[in-house]
Structures are given as C-alpha cells and as structure tokens.
C-alpha cells in the first residue's frame, strides 16, 4: 500500500509547524460586544480541542490495566506453543511489551483485535498494565486483521487457517477470490486450505500437531473413502513416508484414477 507523502522533500522544517512572527500586534479596545464574541470563540475552540484530543487518543498508544483487556472469541488462533510463550514472557519481563496490542473499545473492556500472543505472555509475566492502540472495527474487520497478523507471523496451523477462511466465507458471505485478496494469498491456496476441513478429524489433528504436512494431506485428499484415508495416515506415521513416497503409495494402492494434483 503506497504511503502518503509526508513533505520530507522540504527538509526537516516540514515536520514542524511554521513559527509565527514575534512582532506584537496593537492592543485592541474591548467592548461588551467584542468580549462576548471572544468568550464564544474560546468556547468553540475548547470544543474543537476536545474533539481533536479524542481523535488523537485513537491514534496513539496508551497504557491500560491488563485486567481490562479480553481476547476476541473469534480469534483464529486456538493453540499457542507453550515453550515459545514462556520465552516471550521472559523477554517481556526484561524489556516490557514493545509492540502495543490492537484493540477495540467495548466500553466496559478492551477486546483484542491483534496481539493475543503478547497478551498471554504479558499475563504469564504478571504485568499489571499493557500498551494498546484503540481502533474502531467491525466484526469482519477484526477477524480479517487477526488472520492477516497471524499469517504474517506464521502463527496459525493449517487447520486454524482453513477454519478462519471458512468463517469469512460463511459468516460474511465472502467469495474465495475476496478472501484471497484480503489475506494476500492466491485463490487456489485459499481453496486448498478450506478443503483440508473435509479430512477426518484424526488427520486434521495430525496436521495441527505437525505430524504430517500439507503435501501429505493433499495426497490423502485424493482418496475419497475416509477409512482408506485413515489407513494411509497410519501408514505414513508408521513408515515415516515423505510426500513423494505418499503420492506414489496412493497411486500404487488406490489406483491411477486418483487425481493427486487436482484440487
């Protein structure tokens, strides 16, 4: 996304407001009429400042009690690596939370849009406060931002990612093309991830735990019968077959009619 021009071409002066001349203006005589006008102007200016401060509050980070922050129930990431979380917690104990959480103001509490891993680690570090950036966002935007952050950090496992795409499609009536554009993936990548949810739960669990990868799952999906899919998973786990060996075994045992690459 192209950034807006910030005037740096005019040098550092562009970053600061121009200084007004120090020449004193002649003192004007005040009357009751002008005094009333001045008071009205001051009230109007005060109101403008208050609005400006409210807008600024949304742009800058602020420190809030960690007890006032709550996770989003639609957070796509459900599993957190305990060792990695402990490492981050130790880092936070020493240096604090360096990147504010992105949250929405729910009046009674702040709901996390992005940054739940930092939040969980901060709780482990027994922090009492945490930095946040408040943003207004719809439920759809919150889910999109959470998915994008997790994908960029490679924090989602394959099934969590697939479920996130499916939720965007079902809850917000987005096409797979729309989803692909929003998360910066190809349409085929989104389609392939969603198809993983057709696998039996045992195979989905193996994917989540990293016992097999997406290539293995692709070969298994070429078989339509769930029992045969489970049998192939068992064979992969017992013999330690790589993706290429799995593809060959799929053709050998279940016939050439399976289309391993056609999904």
């Amino acid at each position: 996304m192209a950034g807006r021009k910030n005037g740096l071409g005019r040098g550092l002066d562009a970053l600061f407001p121009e200084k007004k001349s120090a020449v004193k203006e002649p003192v004007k005589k005040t009357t009751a009429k002008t005094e009333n006008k001045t008071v009205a102007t001051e009230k109007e200016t005060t109101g403008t400042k208050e609005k400006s401060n409210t807008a600024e509050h949304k742009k800058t980070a602020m420190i809030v009690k960690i007890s006032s922050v709550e996770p989003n129930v639609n957070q796509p990431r459900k599993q957190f690596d305990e060792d990695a979380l402990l490492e981050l917690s130790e880092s936070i104990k020493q240096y604090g939370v360096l990147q504010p959480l992105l949250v929405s103001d729910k009046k009674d509490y702040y709901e996390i849009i992005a940054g739940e891993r930092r939040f969980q680690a901060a709780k482990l570090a027994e922090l009492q406060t945490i930095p946040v950036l408040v943003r207004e966002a719809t439920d759809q935007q919150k889910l999109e931002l959470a998915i994008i952050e997790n994908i960029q950090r490679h924090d989602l496992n394959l099934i969590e990612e697939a479920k996130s795409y499916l939720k965007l499609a079902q809850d917000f009536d987005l096409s797979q093309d729309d989803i692909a554009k929003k998360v910066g993936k190809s349409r085929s990548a989104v389609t392939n991830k969603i198809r993983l949810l057709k696998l039996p739960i045992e195979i989905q669990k193996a994917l989540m735990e990293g016992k097999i990868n997406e290539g293995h799952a692709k070969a298994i999906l070429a078989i339509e019968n769930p029992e045969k899919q489970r049998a192939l998973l068992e064979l992969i786990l017992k013999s330690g077959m790589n993706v290429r060996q799995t593809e060959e075994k799929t053709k050998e045992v279940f016939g050439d009619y399976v289309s391993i690459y056609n999904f």
Side-chain angles (χ1 to χ4, degrees):
M1 184 163 51
R4 287 184 289 183
K5 294 182 180 177
N6 55 15
L8 288 175
R10 296 192 290 116
L12 290 176
D13 290 341
L15 299 175
F16 302 95
E18 292 180 6
K19 293 181 180 178
K20 292 184 179 179
S21 171
V23 178
K24 294 182 179 178
E25 294 182 0
V27 178
K28 294 182 181 178
K29 291 182 180 179
T30 59
T31 63
K33 198 170 185 179
T34 57
E35 282 179 359
N36 289 338
K37 190 175 180 182
T38 302
V39 171
T41 304
E42 285 177 352
K43 285 182 178 177
E44 189 177 323
T45 304
T46 302
T48 304
K49 283 181 180 178
E50 287 175 357
K51 286 180 182 177
S52 175
N53 288 338
T54 302
E56 192 64 26
H57 154 78
K58 291 180 179 178
K59 291 179 183 177
T60 58
M62 60 182 190
I63 304 298
V64 301
K65 289 182 179 179
I66 200 165
S67 59
S68 68
V69 179
E70 293 186 14
N72 186 339
V73 293
N74 291 322
Q75 158 67 243
R77 191 177 183 192
K78 304 301 180 186
Q79 291 186 330
F80 292 88
D81 184 295
E82 290 185 13
D83 291 337
L85 209 56
L86 283 170
E87 276 184 28
L88 181 58
S89 174
E90 290 301 317
S91 173
I92 285 173
K93 282 179 184 177
Q94 187 171 358
Y95 301 107
V97 180
L98 301 181
Q99 184 180 354
L101 276 60
L102 199 61
V103 301
S104 61
D105 191 343
K106 306 294 281 188
K107 304 303 180 186
D108 296 329
Y109 64 95
Y110 296 101
E111 184 179 65
I112 298 172
I113 298 174
E116 186 175 343
R117 182 169 171 268
R118 274 164 279 151
F119 169 70
Q120 297 292 354
K123 283 173 62 178
L124 278 176
E126 299 182 347
L127 265 59
Q128 299 302 308
T129 59
I130 197 165
V132 300
L133 277 170
V134 179
R135 291 288 183 270
E136 292 178 7
T138 64
D139 287 342
Q140 179 180 332
Q141 289 169 331
K142 289 176 191 175
L143 181 58
E144 289 170 5
L145 286 167
I147 292 170
I148 290 165
E149 186 201 38
N150 281 304
I151 287 174
Q152 287 176 344
R153 293 173 180 269
H154 303 284
D155 282 343
L156 294 178
N157 64 54
L158 291 167
I159 298 302
E160 287 174 336
E161 189 176 344
K163 286 180 177 178
S164 300
Y165 296 153
L166 187 62
K167 188 171 181 63
L168 282 173
Q170 292 179 341
D171 291 7
F172 304 106
D173 199 28
L174 293 180
S175 69
Q176 291 183 9
D177 277 328
D178 292 333
I179 295 168
K181 287 173 186 173
K182 288 179 180 292
V183 301
K185 299 269 186 177
S186 67
R187 184 189 180 283
S188 61
V190 171
T191 301
N192 289 347
K193 293 292 190 304
I194 292 175
R195 287 200 63 184
L196 295 175
L197 300 177
K198 293 181 178 181
L199 289 165
I201 192 67
E202 299 93 331
I203 301 176
Q204 290 188 35
K205 188 179 177 183
L207 270 170
M208 292 170 68
E209 294 174 352
K211 292 178 179 177
I212 60 172
N213 62 34
E214 191 171 2
H216 290 113
K218 186 175 182 180
I220 294 171
L221 271 168
I223 305 161
E224 293 184 3
N225 186 295
E227 288 306 317
K228 291 180 179 179
Q229 289 177 335
R230 292 187 185 95
L232 182 54
L233 171 66
E234 190 175 344
L235 188 59
I236 293 168
L237 297 179
K238 280 185 176 179
S239 60
M241 290 192 298
N242 61 30
V243 173
R244 186 64 185 168
Q245 289 169 333
T246 303
E247 292 170 349
E248 292 301 323
K249 181 59 70 174
T250 303
K251 290 179 183 178
E252 174 191 330
V253 176
F254 302 104
D256 291 331
Y257 68 90
V258 293
S259 181
I260 291 174
Y261 300 100
N262 187 25
F263 82 101

